[in-house]
Amino acid sequence: MAGLVENISLIGDEIPWLKALRRKGEEAFLKSGVPGAKTEAWKYLKPKELATDDYVFSCGGCSQKVKQEIPFSCYRICFENGRFCPEGSFFPEEIEVLPLIEAILTKSSEIQFWLKQICDLNKFPFAALNQKYLNEGVYIHLPQGFVLDKPLVLDVHTSCEDKNLFSNLHNVVVLDKSSKAEVVEYYHYDGELKSHYFNNVVNQIFVGKGANLKHIKFQNEAFKASHIAFSHVLVDEKGLYDSFCLQRGADLARNESRVILRQQEAECVVNAAYKIDGWAKVDTTTDVEHLAVATKSHQLVKGVIGGQAKGIFQGKIHIAQDCVATEGNQLHKALLLSDEAEVDVKPELEIFADDVKCSHGAASGELDEEQLFYMRSRGIGYEEARQLLISAYFEEVFALLDNQDISNWLKSFL
Amino acid sequence: MTTPLLEIEDLHARVKEKEIINGFNLTINEGEVHAIMGPNGAGKSTLSNVLTGKPGYEITSGSVRYKGYDLLKLSPEERAHEGIFLCMQYPVEIPGVPTATFLKHAVNAVRKHNQQPELDTMEFLKMLKEEGKKLGIDSEMMKRPLNVGFSGGEKKRLETLQMCILKPRLSILDEADSGLDIDALKVVAEGVNSLRDKERSLLVITHYQRLLNYIVPDFVHVFADGHIVRSGDKKLALELEEKGYAGFVKEN
Ligand SMILES: Nc1ncnc2c1ncn2[C@@H]1O[C@H](COP(=O)(O)OP(=O)(O)OP(=O)(O)O)[C@@H](O)[C@H]1O
Ligand SMILES: [Mg+2]
């Protein structure tokens, strides 16, 4: 019997700075608690059920890794039930890949430097909660100029049991100057379908000068599970953070990206797609901060919502003073498959500079009857025709993924 | 006597409370080619849509029998499986669906219904290439999203191609000739004619007698105010070309 805030013993509590970080997280979370309708940033998702569920914390060592096929050649870092799993993990030796706690113990000053750059936790209750349990996760560091030849998959698997597992992964990804990598986060599960497990993830990502990170995420959690993720991304001069997130699972989910283009000509792509059914509530929240001149951002989010599900998009573009020659585009589109499906959209533009190109838009609609009829009149069954149209709807955003293997893999889950 | 392929009796149909088809009768036997001509807004496309089961039309009375069965009970896809095909006046654009993908789904859906093995991608593409060639359709076009950005003539060629590969028993051509240049008209007509045999029937809707020089009809009907006002043989088309519809249409 446990809630979200418990005193569990964690490795490294004797390290003062670590203890202080954890305590800071706890304090910030206790101050806000689980946000509800009154907290602007969470007013649509209202994740109040998280406050009342009963949790167990990831227990024991790592259990046997359930091998999951990934149909493209890749490196892998495996987590099983919230724990790093050396078995099944493999990656090139030229880059640093360490379980977070090992990095904390062996590279204290380096990791401290990165961890302390997290944003104001008072505004991010779940990131605060995650920091309270700072322990599990991975530290990935690419040296200057290194180009990773294959995607690196963070394979996060949950074996659902009748108990609700609560895990807090915290990943730190650092790309030094001119390095290049493709990182794929993959959340999936086996076992008890109705498990209310909760994955609370924080990624701290640093894209160095001229570096290029492709960050793909596939959230395919169990259908009663909760998944809340926050990526805090800092991009330096001419760096590119190019991301795409597909959310397909979970009952309650949020993927939040806060991307800070902090030096000139930094650029980001924050694309996403979601396909949800039943009673799921799935939230995509973005906040792109243009803090330097000639920075660029692009966002395209497409959702397909069926049943009584609810899709949420909150997207903010902020352009700071004097950030001239900046470009920010944002577009959210949703397809509603039933009368009870719902979509809530909140775009926000904050522009404090001149000479900027900025656009945003939102549209929602239903499947086109004419298109549906055209297909059916050629013998294609109703369901098949619907599926084809849904895939077609997503094509616009999938077409922007340049890794065909990954794109095909993701599409096979739609 | 064999059962007619299509038998429409005293059909009345409305769209949004407005009666468009009223008292329509037509019988098409196997192997026959019927042409329907009529002024704009007479209800020709509406009739095509009703026959193919497009949602949004209310049948208020009358019956349609196809191969002796009640056609109106079937879903659009079931009608297609049974061999009804509509070459649309305005083919629909579907962004995101490559033309070839769509055609493969259509061909295999019909094959499945006929208990034929589905074609794999290789077999399908080979067949598509051969059939496409006959209609002068470039195989690059098949990679593009369905009908998106296709010229009027290209759309009509693609409709004809679908007809040729689905091999329907009853093809309804709703202005298959509109937007076609003179050469394309011949190519499309050849495609259509290649399907003609003693089992297959055609219902050709057109405004121009010219198409009927290529696809020669057994019967020509004048369609005005929601029903057939006169029927004859191919000479009727020539007469219409000369005199127009005056005398057939109610004075307003
Ligand atoms: N969905 C609809 N809502 C309202 N009116 C409609 C609808 N569909 C058709 N109509 C009307 O029904 C009438 C018949 O239309 P239809 O398209 O069948 O004519 P048509 O004979 O095919 O004409 P054309 O030769 O111009 O193609 C027209 O007056 C049209 O405006
Ligand atoms: Mg018409």
Side-chain angles (χ1 to χ4, degrees):
Chain A
M1 289 282 175
L4 291 172
V5 182
E6 294 293 327
N7 279 317
I8 55 168
S9 78
L10 295 169
I11 301 171
D13 251 350
E14 68 288 355
I15 302 171
W17 69 263
L18 180 60
K19 195 169 179 182
L21 276 183
R22 287 172 177 164
R23 185 172 316 124
K24 211 170 146 192
E26 174 167 353
E27 282 166 7
F29 181 75
L30 287 176
K31 223 189 285 170
S32 62
V34 170
K38 290 203 185 95
T39 309
E40 182 64 23
W42 294 85
K43 66 177 180 186
Y44 297 121
L45 190 64
K46 297 188 279 278
K48 55 182 183 297
E49 49 267 58
L50 290 174
T52 51
D53 264 334
D54 220 9
Y55 297 102
V56 296
F57 288 79
S58 17
C59 44
C62 127
S63 46
Q64 207 50 7
K65 172 78 191 119
V66 180
K67 194 77 183 148
Q68 176 80 23
E69 278 311 313
I70 293 178
F72 51 89
S73 164
C74 59
Y75 300 110
R76 244 195 235 215
I77 295 167
C78 299
F79 289 90
E80 180 67 25
N81 291 340
R83 300 254 156 166
F84 177 70
C85 209
E87 189 198 342
S89 297
F90 56 99
F91 36 82
E93 282 170 3
E94 298 91 325
I95 65 173
E96 265 181 301
V97 177
L98 292 172
L100 186 72
I101 193 67
E102 208 178 309
I104 287 170
L105 298 173
T106 61
K107 302 184 155 285
S108 174
S109 60
E110 194 178 320
I111 196 79
Q112 226 186 118
F113 172 77
W114 299 120
L115 288 173
K116 284 187 172 166
Q117 296 191 47
I118 191 81
C119 49
D120 179 5
L121 291 178
N122 290 312
K123 292 187 183 138
F124 297 90
F126 289 99
L129 184 63
N130 177 287
Q131 187 164 306
K132 168 181 166 38
Y133 298 109
L134 199 62
N135 179 35
E136 275 296 352
V138 65
Y139 169 57
I140 300 170
H141 178 200
L142 266 79
Q144 181 172 337
F146 187 81
V147 177
L148 194 61
D149 61 339
K150 286 190 276 195
L152 174 62
V153 178
L154 298 190
D155 177 352
V156 185
H157 183 267
T158 305
S159 296
C160 316
E161 287 163 11
D162 43 2
K163 296 194 189 83
N164 306 325
L165 195 72
F166 174 34
S167 8
N168 290 275
L169 284 188
H170 193 114
N171 304 308
V172 177
V173 179
V174 181
L175 267 74
D176 281 352
K177 189 175 164 189
S178 305
S179 63
K180 195 174 170 184
E182 188 161 16
V183 172
V184 180
E185 282 180 272
Y186 178 26
Y187 296 88
H188 56 128
Y189 71 98
D190 270 305
E192 182 56 54
L193 273 169
K194 291 191 175 144
S195 168
H196 288 214
Y197 71 83
F198 174 23
N199 268 329
N200 182 30
V201 182
V202 170
N203 294 317
Q204 283 185 264
I205 296 171
F206 301 89
V207 181
K209 188 172 173 181
N212 177 334
L213 177 67
K214 286 205 161 58
H215 180 193
I216 311 286
K217 169 174 170 175
F218 177 30
Q219 184 272 95
N220 198 22
E221 305 277 27
F223 89 119
K224 284 287 168 196
S226 300
H227 177 102
I228 296 208
F230 176 58
S231 291
H232 186 246
V233 186
L234 298 171
V235 190
D236 289 343
E237 187 181 335
K238 292 188 176 160
L240 171 63
Y241 173 68
D242 180 354
S243 66
F244 174 73
C245 171
L246 171 64
Q247 301 207 74
R248 185 78 183 82
D251 189 44
L252 183 110
R254 164 132 150 168
N255 189 63
E256 180 166 0
S257 310
R258 183 173 156 87
V259 185
I260 313 212
L261 303 172
R262 61 177 178 178
Q263 289 179 3
Q264 63 177 35
E265 293 175 72
E267 185 172 349
C268 72
V269 176
V270 188
N271 290 343
Y274 57 90
K275 180 161 188 264
I276 56 177
D277 269 309
W279 291 268
K281 292 191 283 181
V282 170
D283 177 328
T284 302
T285 294
T286 66
D287 176 2
V288 177
E289 305 271 325
H290 292 259
L291 303 186
V293 298
T295 46
K296 282 186 187 157
S297 69
H298 317 273
Q299 301 178 51
L300 175 63
V301 179
K302 296 197 92 170
V304 172
I305 309 162
Q308 300 179 30
K310 175 167 159 172
I312 298 160
F313 175 70
Q314 309 182 105
K316 183 171 150 192
I317 301 177
H318 170 94
I319 301 180
Q321 221 172 341
D322 301 329
C323 294
V324 293
T326 291
E327 203 181 310
N329 305 306
Q330 179 192 89
L331 184 58
H332 175 266
K333 290 193 205 169
L335 190 59
L336 300 167
L337 297 181
S338 75
D339 292 341
E340 286 156 307
E342 185 183 326
V343 63
D344 293 304
V345 180
K346 192 179 86 176
E348 261 182 287
L349 295 181
E350 285 179 356
I351 304 175
F352 298 104
D354 297 327
D355 181 26
V356 298
K357 268 192 236 159
C358 223
S359 69
H360 71 109
S364 64
E366 291 158 25
L367 280 179
D368 186 309
E369 285 295 334
E370 296 283 333
Q371 296 178 343
L372 214 47
F373 173 67
Y374 186 80
M375 293 195 169
R376 296 175 74 192
S377 78
R378 306 294 143 105
I380 301 173
Y382 182 68
E383 264 316 308
E384 195 178 339
R386 266 169 67 107
Q387 277 309 320
L388 274 169
L389 288 181
I390 289 168
S391 308
Y393 189 75
F394 281 123
E395 195 49 40
E396 183 184 4
V397 63
F398 277 97
L400 300 172
L401 285 175
D402 48 24
N403 186 324
Q404 277 309 307
D405 293 337
I406 292 181
S407 171
N408 290 336
W409 174 60
L410 295 175
K411 282 193 227 171
S412 73
F413 290 92
L414 290 175
Chain B
M1 207 187 109
T2 51
T3 327
L5 187 61
L6 185 75
E7 225 178 343
I8 307 174
E9 265 176 46
D10 193 30
L11 187 69
H12 291 251
R14 40 169 76 190
V15 192
K16 296 189 182 137
E17 308 294 302
K18 185 177 165 198
E19 182 152 84
I20 312 277
I21 306 290
N22 77 73
F24 188 92
N25 292 285
L26 179 68
T27 299
I28 300 180
N29 291 304
E30 286 184 341
E32 289 177 355
V33 176
H34 291 244
I36 287 186
M37 303 181 83
N40 292 130
K44 303 181 297 297
S45 295
T46 303
L47 176 72
S48 313
N49 291 337
V50 166
L51 293 179
T52 45
K54 186 169 182 179
Y57 297 86
E58 193 197 343
I59 315 294
T60 46
S61 66
S63 69
V64 181
R65 304 188 85 68
Y66 175 72
K67 299 179 186 169
Y69 298 99
D70 182 358
L71 180 72
L72 301 176
K73 275 197 193 134
L74 304 183
S75 68
E77 55 270 37
E78 286 167 332
R79 298 181 198 200
H81 297 159
E82 293 299 328
I84 293 188
F85 181 91
L86 169 61
C87 198
M88 291 197 193
Q89 182 174 5
Y90 303 109
V92 180
E93 301 191 356
I94 309 188
V97 178
T99 303
T101 306
F102 164 76
L103 294 176
K104 184 169 174 234
H105 278 263
V107 167
N108 280 337
V110 172
R111 289 181 72 93
K112 209 158 127 188
H113 174 82
N114 294 334
Q115 282 153 2
Q116 290 169 297
E118 294 183 29
L119 297 182
D120 65 30
T121 304
M122 292 297 283
E123 292 167 322
F124 170 74
L125 289 176
K126 188 166 168 268
M127 183 270 281
L128 189 59
K129 205 173 164 187
E130 283 166 13
E131 294 291 333
K133 214 170 173 181
K134 290 185 204 158
L135 287 159
I137 298 176
D138 178 24
S139 53
E140 277 305 302
M141 214 168 98
M142 305 291 186
K143 294 179 188 160
R144 286 166 54 188
L146 184 60
N147 285 323
V148 178
F150 287 18
S151 75
E154 285 168 345
K155 285 181 183 166
K156 291 293 157 92
R157 281 181 203 232
L158 187 68
E159 293 289 289
T160 315
L161 173 71
Q162 292 180 51
M163 188 177 138
C164 291
I165 61 184
L166 294 174
K167 303 205 175 0
R169 288 288 299 278
L170 174 65
S171 304
I172 304 163
L173 277 60
D174 192 357
E175 300 195 20
D177 50 343
S178 70
L180 292 180
D181 63 41
I182 301 157
D183 297 334
L185 184 70
K186 279 186 203 158
V187 173
V188 164
E190 264 166 38
V192 173
N193 283 330
S194 73
L195 272 182
R196 282 182 77 161
D197 64 25
K198 58 182 190 313
E199 284 190 334
R200 289 175 220 285
S201 309
L202 295 174
L203 181 59
V204 183
I205 296 167
T206 182
H207 286 294
Y208 304 103
Q209 195 275 329
R210 194 180 54 203
L211 178 71
L212 304 179
N213 288 338
Y214 298 103
I215 306 172
V216 182
D218 302 305
F219 304 93
V220 174
H221 310 278
V222 182
F223 185 1
D225 303 318
H227 52 266
I228 290 176
V229 292
R230 198 173 140 194
S231 298
D233 62 12
K234 62 184 179 199
K235 277 183 257 151
L236 180 56
L238 291 165
E239 188 185 326
L240 285 171
E241 185 99 329
E242 205 175 302
K243 296 186 186 155
Y245 295 113
F248 294 111
V249 193
K250 268 190 295 198
E251 300 290 332
N252 281 326

